[in-house]
Amino acid sequence: MWISYKTIVIKEILRFSRIWVQTIFPPIITTSLYLLIFGGLMGKRIGDMQGVDYLHYIIPGVILMTVITNSYTNTVTSFFLAKFNHSIEELLVAPVSYWVILLGYVSGGVSRGFAVGLGVSIAMSIFIDFEINNILIVLIIFLFTSILFSLAGFINAIFAQSFDDISIVPTFVLMPMTYLGGIFYNVEILPQFWQNISKFNPIYYMVDSFRLGFLGVSTSEFWVSILVLLSIIIVLAIFAFYLLKKM
Amino acid sequence: MLKCFDFYSKLIMSTALLIKGLKKTYANQLEALKGIDLCVDHGDFYALLGSNGAGKTTVIGIICGLLNKTSGSIKVLGFNQSNHVNQVKKLIGLMPQEFNFNPFEPVEEILINQAGYYGIAKSKAKIQAELLLKEVDLWEKRFDMAKSLSGGMKRRLMLARALIHQPKILILDEPTAGVDVKIRHSIWRFLSKLNRQGMTIILTTHYLGEAELLCRNVAILNKGKVIKQTSMKALLSQVDKQVLILESLTQLPQTITSDRFKCERLDDHSLQVVLNTDISITSVLHNLDTQGVSVDYIHSAQNRLETLFLYLTNKEK
């Protein structure tokens, strides 16, 4: 079982590493631009947020945004392509349990999220001085976020019947959720109604706790975030397993 | 009691695949298999024949765990597939009809990954991959992306992949479809070698000459039912007519007649002869010789199994 799992993970890592110009490099460029324009140029006019200057305030959210997008994209693309070119049958004819398949693909998504997140952090550290307040919180939230969105990508891939289907969810669901999750702003500046709506967006808890890890400021309790994220991960994992078994 | 147990254990060990009452109805209510029974002996070279849509690929898909059955039982070397899914998967190697590998992976990596899925360590898998890639003449291409291979090379890659975990039973779904004659013959030689070494091989093919040449036993599927299951020899003995093309280097006479066989002049140098199997070719040649026909070349106009296959499947319509 361990060898099967290791094989899937290595295969997934090799897949995105071989095409690093398409997978790892673009998010680094995009994120650097975000920081330069929103943080560096416009941020000076915006001022502080929760007592932190705007450039530093958006760093955690921007890093997390790349982790979310890349974890999701990795599993949805890889698993859909395996379905599309039937190479998924290589796994299905072998004595590999559905949990191992799921865990392997999710680990692949987490690996890409980590690779891109690390790349973006290194690129930013060249231009901006920043310190991490609590590395443990940062790592826990990174892990939970990438697992959650890898699972979501996996479910999307199982349902997807065409290449359009794998781009609809990221464009119409994932992107609005990410932007409305408080990446560029403190949710408390919104009217009460929209603040309440934001509490139903899991990305709000991720960004808020990630910011706690980086900057030491947050608007919600850390344990609430952990509870919310863990619950969603468990539900998604069970659903993904069920769909995979039924496939 | 002990003797009885011994008899049954020998029976189980000598049977590579035992299928009983296998049924499959798809979600769209298409009844692909209507309760089929199959028995393949250990070490056999077995042909599973049928027209498109007869249910061959569905049977294979169920045996290999790619599809769920509706009812029935499958035993592979004594292991019940329902209770021992993983043991059964380890015993079977599948070469499917469609190319089903990632075209953006290098050839050797495809084999090593497949071995990994079967729990084989990379160091061991590399040795086995080298052996197989050399056997199927793809060693020079081991670092190439699979997409760059020709159709025949892709088929050989899938054959090597099916063997990477050293299965006891090899299932081949149209292994030589779209492959040129030279490669087809090399695949046949390799398969015969594997069978001689004791591997049970189950073959589905539309090239009936291939089945006739390689297989000892045969089952014919038609519309989800087994309509014939016997030895190839017994099946071919049912063919009561054969069609021959006779060619002469000299010009043939305008009229050639015989009351013992049918004769049709195709052109100035070739002749089609239809004769019952109880008439010897020597007597035909003698008869033609008396009419001034000297025969220089003889070849069969049709495949014997093909004739029988068409007869049996049309009869069921």
Side-chain angles (χ1 to χ4, degrees):
Chain A
M1 201 169 84
W2 166 245
I3 295 176
S4 312
Y5 167 73
K6 203 172 79 176
T7 306
I8 301 171
V9 178
I10 292 172
K11 186 188 75 148
E12 284 300 292
I13 293 172
L14 282 174
R15 193 193 70 82
F16 72 75
S17 306
R18 271 196 196 107
I19 45 170
W20 65 273
V21 180
Q22 293 170 45
T23 53
I24 298 172
F25 196 54
I28 295 173
I29 300 290
T30 318
T31 315
S32 302
L33 284 171
Y34 270 124
L35 288 169
L36 178 76
I37 296 163
F38 293 109
L41 301 176
M42 292 168 67
K44 283 173 193 159
R45 293 166 187 257
I46 294 169
D48 290 358
M49 210 161 271
Q50 285 183 280
V52 182
D53 73 277
Y54 192 68
L55 176 63
H56 285 87
Y57 188 79
I58 65 168
I59 288 174
V62 169
I63 294 174
L64 207 64
M65 186 172 72
T66 60
V67 171
I68 289 170
T69 316
N70 282 277
S71 301
Y72 189 94
T73 310
N74 199 70
T75 42
V76 75
T77 314
S78 182
F79 197 74
F80 176 73
L81 282 176
K83 256 176 57 178
F84 186 74
N85 60 33
H86 298 283
S87 63
I88 189 65
E89 289 173 7
E90 291 180 334
L91 275 166
L92 298 178
V93 297
V96 187
S97 77
Y98 292 116
W99 278 118
V100 171
I101 296 175
L102 184 61
L103 203 62
Y105 273 91
V106 168
S107 302
V110 171
S111 305
R112 179 156 155 196
F114 183 75
V116 175
L118 190 69
V120 168
S121 305
I122 292 169
M124 280 196 301
S125 67
I126 296 169
F127 308 106
I128 308 161
D129 277 337
F130 67 90
E131 281 178 15
I132 295 172
N133 183 55
N134 188 329
I135 187 74
L136 195 64
I137 293 177
V138 168
L139 287 176
I140 289 171
I141 295 299
F142 153 75
L143 196 68
F144 280 23
T145 303
S146 53
I147 290 174
L148 194 153
F149 282 98
S150 296
L151 282 166
F154 192 87
I155 292 167
N156 186 174
I158 292 180
F159 279 116
Q161 298 295 321
S162 68
F163 283 96
D164 287 342
D165 296 342
I166 64 169
S167 62
I168 286 172
V169 178
T171 310
F172 295 104
V173 182
L174 198 59
M175 199 55 87
M177 268 175 71
T178 311
Y179 281 100
L180 297 171
I183 282 175
F184 295 105
Y185 56 86
N186 176 7
V187 171
E188 285 178 345
I189 65 170
L190 296 173
Q192 192 57 48
F193 174 77
W194 291 107
Q195 274 189 49
N196 294 339
I197 293 288
S198 296
K199 301 278 165 69
F200 289 99
N201 182 356
I203 294 176
Y204 156 73
Y205 296 96
M206 294 169 190
V207 174
D208 195 54
S209 298
F210 210 51
R211 206 167 268 148
L212 175 72
F214 262 88
L215 308 169
V217 294
S218 70
T219 54
S220 68
E221 293 287 340
F222 179 63
W223 67 267
V224 175
S225 300
I226 292 295
L227 206 66
V228 168
L229 298 183
L230 254 180
S231 311
I232 298 172
I233 285 172
I234 291 167
V235 171
L236 290 182
I238 293 169
F239 189 47
F241 178 77
Y242 166 76
L243 291 173
L244 183 62
K245 214 175 160 189
K246 244 187 81 181
M247 199 174 75
Chain B
M1 180 73 181
L2 199 66
K3 271 186 180 173
C4 182
F5 175 77
D6 202 36
F7 169 77
Y8 280 109
S9 64
K10 274 181 185 165
L11 182 74
I12 288 168
M13 288 314 289
S14 67
T15 306
L17 176 69
L18 188 66
I19 295 177
K20 278 186 180 171
L22 187 65
K23 287 185 182 177
K24 172 70 183 176
T25 306
Y26 285 102
N28 60 2
Q29 299 309 310
L30 173 78
E31 208 180 350
L33 299 176
K34 297 166 183 169
I36 67 159
D37 298 322
L38 282 178
C39 182
V40 181
D41 286 338
H42 184 64
D44 201 355
F45 209 135
Y46 195 92
L48 191 60
L49 306 178
S51 321
N52 290 330
K56 305 182 300 288
T57 304
T58 303
V59 176
I60 291 172
I62 294 171
I63 297 169
C64 297
L66 292 172
L67 294 169
N68 293 321
K69 62 181 185 246
T70 304
S71 64
S73 74
I74 297 172
K75 276 189 178 175
V76 177
L77 289 164
F79 288 105
N80 191 320
Q81 195 214 32
S82 305
N83 308 328
H84 303 91
V85 184
N86 288 344
Q87 280 95 329
V88 166
K89 283 182 173 179
K90 280 180 191 168
L91 293 168
I92 296 172
L94 170 69
M95 178 184 173
Q97 193 176 342
E98 306 287 338
F99 299 132
N100 69 342
F101 45 76
N102 183 350
F104 301 102
E105 274 175 16
V107 168
E108 192 184 27
E109 206 174 292
I110 289 175
L111 262 61
I112 291 170
N113 283 345
Q114 188 68 31
Y117 301 150
Y118 282 90
I120 300 166
K122 195 175 175 181
S123 53
K124 211 174 156 189
K126 271 185 93 93
I127 298 167
Q128 181 69 1
E130 182 179 343
L131 211 73
L132 285 167
L133 288 174
K134 282 179 177 167
E135 189 71 61
V136 297
D137 207 16
L138 284 176
W139 180 241
E140 300 300 316
K141 300 274 180 186
R142 64 189 181 280
F143 300 125
D144 293 5
M145 291 288 171
K147 67 176 175 151
S148 69
L149 301 182
S150 68
M153 286 174 180
K154 284 174 182 166
R155 293 247 166 246
R156 284 180 280 154
L157 168 62
M158 293 209 297
L159 179 57
R161 190 188 58 182
L163 294 166
I164 192 74
H165 62 289
Q166 297 174 295
K168 299 276 182 230
I169 300 171
L170 179 63
I171 300 179
L172 308 159
D173 196 357
E174 312 273 350
T176 56
V179 166
D180 71 46
V181 178
K182 197 179 157 196
I183 293 167
R184 190 178 302 165
H185 279 263
S186 78
I187 290 176
W188 288 349
R189 276 195 299 276
F190 183 46
L191 294 177
S192 298
K193 187 174 132 187
L194 291 172
N195 185 241
R196 279 197 303 277
Q197 287 168 352
M199 186 175 281
T200 307
I201 301 178
I202 299 169
L203 169 80
T204 80
T205 180
H206 285 299
Y207 299 117
L208 298 184
E210 183 171 87
E212 190 178 335
L213 180 80
L214 298 169
C215 301
R216 283 188 288 279
N217 290 295
V218 58
I220 298 178
L221 255 72
N222 193 37
K223 294 176 183 171
K225 284 191 285 188
V226 176
I227 57 168
K228 202 86 186 172
Q229 186 171 194
T230 181
S231 73
M232 188 64 79
K233 207 173 168 184
L235 187 68
L236 292 174
S237 68
Q238 292 177 24
V239 181
D240 59 353
K241 279 189 174 56
Q242 58 178 321
V243 184
L244 299 172
I245 303 289
L246 310 180
E247 289 186 52
S248 174
L249 294 174
T250 54
Q251 190 164 352
L252 295 170
Q254 285 303 317
T255 50
I256 304 163
T257 54
S258 172
D259 53 354
R260 297 194 65 204
F261 54 87
K262 277 185 194 170
C263 198
E264 189 189 342
R265 196 175 182 276
L266 299 174
D267 57 45
D268 284 350
H269 294 277
S270 48
L271 191 69
Q272 180 176 283
V273 173
V274 181
L275 65 153
N276 288 336
T277 46
D278 58 344
I279 300 169
S280 73
I281 294 173
T282 317
S283 67
V284 173
L285 294 178
H286 180 71
N287 185 300
L288 292 171
D289 192 43
T290 57
Q291 298 184 63
V293 177
S294 70
V295 176
D296 294 293
Y297 303 105
I298 303 175
H299 55 88
S300 178
Q302 65 192 118
N303 180 281
R304 291 183 298 163
L305 185 57
E306 202 164 286
T307 315
L308 201 65
F309 176 80
L310 288 171
Y311 168 72
L312 289 168
T313 50
N314 285 333
K315 198 172 75 173
E316 287 287 315
K317 274 181 185 170

